[in-house]
């Protein structure tokens, strides 16, 4: 690279568990290269040094759950050339989006001793519901190789290789035997976005859908098949209602099996 | 595989306890020996060291979307049918680096990245898969251009075929004239015979000089008439117990006539566009190419990966995907397998192995889809069926 000025990267946190930011810290071997190529201008989980914006790339973790966050994400968008959301919270609302299916005041009164101090929105929503997002990197948590891929792609102005097809393709490429066909284990792989390299099926578990819906997910056909195999309605609801519960396709499918 | 020489020797008998000698001889010749073995609840293809790595005494139960391992009540070496893997995983790897390059002050350099490819010995190739290999040979080696990676692997592959002693629940090679008897494309072909009195042997047919040469050093004797007859009976029985059938008469025109048909909408409701069918199909050959750079920008690599006509990216051109609907993707796949392939390569793209039926998570069955379209023509005139589905957008 002949660039003289290193691009500035900022990492922001909203409602989340920090797991996705940790994936960046977890890039031990690559982190030094990242630091030599990118000016890490704001990454509180790693360093207290804060460089003022504007930023070339903002990585955003977490979902929007408070009025304050609603404002903050707009400000961040303004100072960021590219805004990339990372993880199920930022791309779909996360596990905390389970509140979207219930009355949030009921939760508040159960959980907090002094509910009057709680200022929260009724829903947990993805960043893209509030501002324009340039790229969404999925996963709960994200895969660090994919994060490096996205950063490299942005650095060199190319398209990231993050295919939106099924987990099944990853299963088959690695030669994993299908757990649905060979064991009758329900698996969300056929409707789930690739990216994890089919970890769960490789340990004989069904896919939990951590990466959210794939392109053109046929959730109706898959749950029809699940019911024919004897999976109970409430279990179908539960299987679609995890980290990506509020992602459109999963949300609709779980609602269709409710009551 | 060695040169084909069809007027070869008489059939001979190989006792089951001499099978290891055969493996040892192939090892001595520095083959990487791969074949059936138990793994993750199925019979998969992987490296074999000894005869004990074979799935001895195991079989499989197969149907649409279902595969279950089961114990047999004998110690058959090859008492099962084809499983989730096919030989293409060795000849046409699912992920392959095509080249890597380095950038420095002087520019861009392709780095020498020649991997030594070990020659393979395939143990237990079924007739349907011999045909599938031959289909891929046509695609990768017999056109104007040949694919050097495939060719390098393929040319030195030794093939030990096995005639099927049973047909699986989704097999339909008899309909496709691709089995269950291995008739060409092998170095040696076996029929496994297990007798009640505990006799266990193989009737061996030689297909090439290389096969004959290997066999020369394995203890064997000439086969008796009744032994050859026993082998023929086994193959005949297998051929009569196919789990599936497919009428192939006029199949190309049948599908060309029914490009618009309500059945495509029906299957689209069930199809997950998950691509399992294409991944397990031993003839499917589509790939995508990914170029990657690292963070330093000093290294680049080009990877080739199995792809599928069931993804959106597959048909992505400027402006979007041509086949956005599940209907258009399933139709593309099935019509290619059974019809356009014939125009393109002169054979069917389907060898009747049944894998796409077994490994489809929701049991979509290529034989059933074809049958339904055919049936509709018998109840309506073809003109009607064209009318029913027309005006639909293709995507
Ligand atoms: S195990 Fe799950 S992800 Fe893998 S091929 Fe089967 S259904 Fe697809
Ligand atoms: S289309 Fe299905 S049955 Fe035909 S060769 Fe491919 S996997 Fe086998
Ligand atoms: S399709 Fe035919 S050749 Fe292939 S495994 Fe089944 S019986 Fe054997
Ligand atoms: S036919 Fe079956 S295996 Fe093929 S894409 Fe559709 S659901 Fe997946």
């Amino acid at each position: 690279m002949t660039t003289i000025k290193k691009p500035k990267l900022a990492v922001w946190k909203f409602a989340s568990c920090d797991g996705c930011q940790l994936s960046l810290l977890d890039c031990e071997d690559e982190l030094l290269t990242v630091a030599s190529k990118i000016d890490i201008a704001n990454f509180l989980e790693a360093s207290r040094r804060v460089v003022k914006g504007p930023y070339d790339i903002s990585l955003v973790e977490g979902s929007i759950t408070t009025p304050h966050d609603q404002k903050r994400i707009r400000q961040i968008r303004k100072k960021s050339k590219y805004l990339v959301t990372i993880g199920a919270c930022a791309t779909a609302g996360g596990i905390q989006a389970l509140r979207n299916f219930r009355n949030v005041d009921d939760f508040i009164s159960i959980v907090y001793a002094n509910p009057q101090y709680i200022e929260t929105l009724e829903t947990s929503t993805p960043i893209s519901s509030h501002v324009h997002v340039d790229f969404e990197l999925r996963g709960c948590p994200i895969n660090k190789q994919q994060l490096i891929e996205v950063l490299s792609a942005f650095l060199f102005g190319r398209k990231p290789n993050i295919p939106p097809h099924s987990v099944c393709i990853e299963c088959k490429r690695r030669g994993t035997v299908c757990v649905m066909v060979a064991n009758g284990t329900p698996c969300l792989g056929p409707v789930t976005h690739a990216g994890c390299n089919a970890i769960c099926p490789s340990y004989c578990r069904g896919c939990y859908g951590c990466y959210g819906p794939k392109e053109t997910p046929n959730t109706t056909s898959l749950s029809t098949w699940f019911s024919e195999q004897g999976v109970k309605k409430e279990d179908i609801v539960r299987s679609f209602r995890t980290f990506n519960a509020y992602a459109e396709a999963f949300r609709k499918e779980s609602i269709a099996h409710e009551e | 595989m060695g040169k084909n020489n069809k007027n070869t020797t008489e059939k001979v008998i190989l006792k089951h306890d001499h099978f290891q000698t055969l493996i040892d001889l192939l090892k001595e010749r520095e083959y990487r020996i791969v074949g059936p073995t138990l793994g993750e609840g199925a019979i998969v293809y992987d490296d074999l060291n000894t005869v004990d790595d074979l799935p001895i005494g195991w079989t499989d139960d197969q149907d649409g979307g279902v595969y279950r391992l089961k114990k047999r009540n004998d110690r058959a070496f090859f008492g099962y049918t084809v499983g989730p893997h096919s030989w293409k995983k060795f000849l046409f790897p699912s992920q392959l680096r095509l080249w890597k390059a380095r950038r420095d002050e002087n520019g861009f350099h392709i780095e020498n990245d020649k991997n030594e490819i070990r020659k393979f010995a395939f143990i237990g190739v079924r007739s349907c898969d011999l045909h599938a290999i031959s289909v891929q040979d046509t695609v990768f080696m017999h056109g104007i251009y040949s694919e050097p990676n495939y060719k390098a692997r393929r040319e030195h592959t030794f093939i030990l075929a096995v005639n099927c002693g049973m047909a699986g629940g989704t097999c339909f090679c008899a309909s496709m004239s691709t089995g269950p008897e291995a008739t060409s494309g092998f170095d040696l072909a076996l029929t496994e015979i297990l007798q009640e009195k505990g006799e266990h042997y193989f009737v061996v047919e030689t297909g090439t000089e290389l096969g004959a040469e290997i066999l020369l050093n394995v203890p064997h004797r000439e086969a008796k008439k009744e032994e050859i007859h026993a082998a023929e009976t086994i193959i005949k029985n297998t051929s009569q117990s196919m789990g599936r059938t497919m009428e192939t008469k006029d199949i190309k025109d049948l599908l060309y006539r029914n490009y618009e048909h309500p059945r495509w909408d029906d299957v689209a409701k069930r199809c997950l566009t998950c691509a399992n069918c294409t991944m397990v199909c031993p003839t499917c050959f589509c790939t995508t190419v990914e170029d990657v750079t690292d963070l330093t920008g000093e290294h680049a690599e080009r990877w080739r990966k199995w792809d599928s006509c069931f993804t959106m990216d597959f048909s992505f051109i400027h402006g979007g995907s041509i086949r956005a609907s599940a209907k258009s993707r399933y139709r593309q796949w099935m019509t290619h397998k059974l019809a356009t392939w014939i125009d393109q390569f002169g054979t069917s793209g389907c060898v009747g192995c049944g894998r796409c039926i077994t490994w489809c998570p929701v049991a979509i069955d290529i034989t059933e889809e074809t049958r339904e379209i055919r049936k509709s023509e018998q109840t309506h005139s073809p003109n009607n069926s064209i009318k029913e589905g027309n005006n639909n957008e293709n995507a």
Side-chain angles (χ1 to χ4, degrees):
Chain A
M1 282 288 284
T2 44
T3 328
I4 308 148
K5 249 181 81 196
K6 289 196 279 183
K8 272 158 79 180
L9 170 89
V11 184
W12 309 97
K13 177 186 155 64
F14 288 83
S16 60
C17 77
D18 283 30
C20 290
Q21 296 189 51
L22 270 176
S23 300
L24 185 56
L25 280 181
D26 196 29
C27 296
E28 289 162 5
D29 300 336
E30 297 89 348
L31 206 57
L32 287 176
T33 325
V34 175
S36 71
K37 290 287 157 186
I38 303 176
D39 181 12
I40 302 182
N42 186 344
F43 184 13
L44 289 176
E45 179 137 336
S47 152
R48 261 179 297 180
R49 188 182 83 112
V50 176
V51 181
K52 267 197 165 161
Y55 306 100
D56 293 288
I57 311 175
S58 275
L59 297 179
V60 180
E61 176 197 87
S63 69
I64 303 297
T65 55
T66 65
H68 174 244
D69 284 350
Q70 272 177 318
K71 281 192 210 111
R72 193 158 64 96
I73 189 62
R74 292 213 175 84
Q75 286 156 4
I76 291 171
R77 176 68 263 189
K78 273 197 201 125
K79 6 183 219 196
S80 311
K81 190 166 166 207
Y82 292 113
L83 191 152
V84 175
T85 50
I86 56 170
C89 300
T91 58
I95 190 78
Q96 60 275 26
L98 287 177
R99 69 158 73 162
N100 305 4
F101 298 88
R102 296 281 182 273
N103 182 348
V104 76
D105 293 330
D106 296 347
F107 291 135
I108 295 174
S109 59
I110 297 170
V111 175
Y112 297 98
N114 295 303
Q116 65 273 25
Y117 298 121
I118 302 298
E119 195 189 356
T120 187
L121 298 170
E122 274 173 22
T123 53
S124 165
T125 45
I127 301 298
S128 63
S129 301
H130 303 268
V131 295
H132 171 75
V133 171
D134 295 291
F135 192 82
E136 295 192 307
L137 184 62
R138 314 274 216 90
C140 186
I142 54 167
N143 169 333
K144 67 172 189 180
Q145 300 308 337
Q146 286 206 323
L147 180 60
I148 300 277
E149 167 60 15
V150 170
L151 289 177
S152 309
F154 272 90
L155 267 179
F156 300 107
R158 62 173 174 85
K159 186 174 165 267
N161 293 306
I162 307 286
H165 57 58
S166 67
V167 175
C168 301
I169 291 184
E170 298 189 306
C171 251
K172 288 294 183 282
R173 281 186 188 148
R174 60 184 287 172
T176 300
V177 175
C178 178
V179 302
M180 281 242 269
V181 173
N183 308 319
T185 307
C187 176
L188 287 182
V191 296
T192 298
H193 193 293
C196 63
N197 199 22
I199 305 178
C200 293
S202 78
Y203 287 95
C204 277
R205 305 292 300 260
C207 164
Y208 295 96
C210 310
Y211 281 61
K214 70 164 183 131
E215 60 183 17
T216 69
N218 190 346
T219 49
T220 313
S221 168
L222 188 64
S223 28
T224 306
W225 180 262
F226 285 169
S227 352
E228 281 164 18
Q229 309 304 304
V231 179
K232 287 197 242 87
K233 255 183 173 213
E234 57 265 36
D235 291 331
I236 294 180
V237 174
R238 224 171 280 136
S239 69
F240 285 103
R241 211 166 268 183
T242 59
F243 328 104
N244 290 281
Y246 208 57
E248 180 74 354
F250 287 6
R251 180 176 66 85
K252 280 194 177 153
E253 198 54 41
S254 73
I255 290 174
H257 297 270
E258 221 167 18
E259 103 257 353
Chain B
M1 203 184 63
K3 248 198 12 224
N4 243 321
N5 172 10
K6 233 2 214 160
N7 352 312
T8 37
T9 46
E10 296 299 301
K11 294 190 176 157
V12 302
I13 299 296
L14 166 70
K15 290 257 184 225
H16 83 283
D17 41 9
H18 290 136
F19 201 88
Q20 183 63 44
T21 317
L22 188 62
I23 293 183
D24 292 340
L25 279 169
L26 290 166
K27 262 199 222 159
E28 266 168 40
R29 291 180 177 235
E30 300 196 331
Y31 281 103
R32 177 179 163 200
I33 299 165
V34 292
T37 190
L38 291 178
E40 299 175 39
I43 292 163
V44 296
Y45 296 150
D46 211 336
D47 289 282
L48 300 181
N49 241 318
T50 73
V51 65
D52 296 325
D53 293 333
L54 291 170
I56 298 175
W58 286 93
T59 189
D60 48 52
D61 248 350
Q62 299 193 36
D63 202 348
V66 182
Y67 178 103
R68 290 292 181 277
L69 273 183
K70 241 179 41 190
K71 270 276 187 203
R72 291 173 61 99
N73 49 18
D74 59 22
R75 295 195 33 89
F77 288 9
F78 299 101
Y80 58 86
T81 54
V82 296
H85 292 175
S86 77
W87 306 97
K88 83 174 178 186
K89 76 178 244 198
F90 303 110
L91 297 174
F92 170 54
S94 64
Q95 322 206 49
L96 184 72
R97 183 169 60 214
L98 297 177
W99 51 258
K100 58 179 180 183
R102 185 173 38 85
R103 174 163 67 178
D104 58 24
E105 323 64 77
N106 306 318
F108 178 83
H109 313 275
I110 302 284
E111 292 190 328
N112 191 8
D113 186 28
K114 283 267 171 295
N115 298 321
E116 198 50 54
I117 299 168
R118 294 261 318 267
K119 49 184 190 175
F120 290 109
F122 291 171
I123 307 295
V125 183
R126 304 309 171 101
S127 180
C128 56
D129 279 348
L130 291 174
H131 284 263
I133 291 171
S134 141
V135 167
Q136 288 211 328
D137 287 353
T138 306
V139 173
F140 290 129
M141 304 201 300
H142 302 156
I144 314 172
Y145 303 105
S146 72
E147 206 288 283
N149 281 295
Y150 183 88
K151 201 162 174 234
R153 289 175 159 77
R154 177 68 180 98
E155 275 176 349
H156 303 289
T157 301
F158 178 90
I159 294 185
L160 179 80
V162 167
N163 293 316
C164 289
M166 60 174 268
T170 57
C171 291
F172 58 104
C173 60
S175 302
M176 306 309 286
S177 310
T178 52
E181 181 178 15
T183 53
S184 67
F186 56 81
D187 293 290
L188 292 172
L190 317 176
T191 311
E192 180 170 35
I193 301 198
L194 287 129
Q195 280 174 340
E196 275 161 27
K197 281 160 272 159
E199 258 200 285
H200 185 185
Y201 60 88
F202 300 95
V203 177
V204 188
E205 189 185 341
T206 308
T208 60
E209 281 160 21
L210 176 62
E213 210 180 295
I214 302 265
L215 191 59
L216 209 63
N217 296 308
V218 188
H220 63 272
R221 62 163 172 81
E222 209 175 294
K224 292 182 213 137
K225 253 213 192 102
E226 57 271 25
E227 289 163 334
I228 295 174
H229 180 72
E232 284 165 358
T233 310
I234 287 176
I235 297 166
K236 208 168 113 212
N237 288 341
T238 302
S239 149
Q240 285 164 357
S241 58
M242 293 284 134
R244 295 288 197 276
T245 55
M246 171 126 86
E247 171 64 79
T248 56
K249 193 172 139 267
D250 185 36
I251 195 159
K252 190 176 96 180
D253 292 323
L254 173 78
L255 293 173
Y256 284 176
R257 275 198 304 277
N258 289 293
Y259 201 61
E260 295 300 344
H261 192 285
R263 187 69 190 179
W264 301 123
D265 297 304
D266 185 273
V267 71
K269 286 200 190 105
R270 288 170 281 135
C271 178
L272 306 164
T273 62
C274 63
N276 276 303
C277 48
T278 52
M279 298 279 132
V280 295
C281 178
T283 68
C284 275
F285 56 77
C286 284
T287 52
T288 182
V289 163
E290 279 178 11
D291 287 340
V292 295
T293 50
D294 67 355
L295 278 167
T296 64
E298 281 151 21
H299 299 96
E301 294 185 353
R302 172 163 290 179
W303 283 80
R304 186 186 78 185
K305 297 179 173 179
W306 285 357
D307 199 7
S308 167
C309 48
F310 282 94
T311 72
M312 289 283 275
D313 281 347
F314 188 87
S315 67
F316 188 93
I317 56 162
H318 173 77
S321 288
I322 296 175
R323 298 189 201 106
S325 69
K327 168 187 170 177
S328 60
R329 283 179 258 167
Y330 186 84
R331 177 177 58 193
Q332 152 64 27
W333 176 70
M334 191 171 115
T335 311
H336 189 211
K337 290 277 107 165
L338 300 173
T340 49
W341 203 294
I342 300 173
D343 283 335
Q344 196 180 5
F345 300 111
T347 60
S348 173
C350 173
V351 297
C353 72
R355 285 184 178 91
C356 57
I357 307 172
T358 300
W359 300 97
C360 172
V362 290
I364 292 172
D365 179 340
I366 190 171
T367 67
E368 185 190 337
E369 297 310 314
T370 312
R371 191 174 309 114
E372 287 304 316
I373 290 179
R374 196 181 283 282
K375 236 168 53 192
S376 72
E377 280 200 345
Q378 286 149 2
T379 43
H380 310 271
S381 81
N383 287 342
N384 281 343
S385 71
I386 289 168
K387 250 188 242 150
E388 273 177 48
N390 73 2
N391 295 337
N392 283 344
E393 85 292 20
N394 285 341

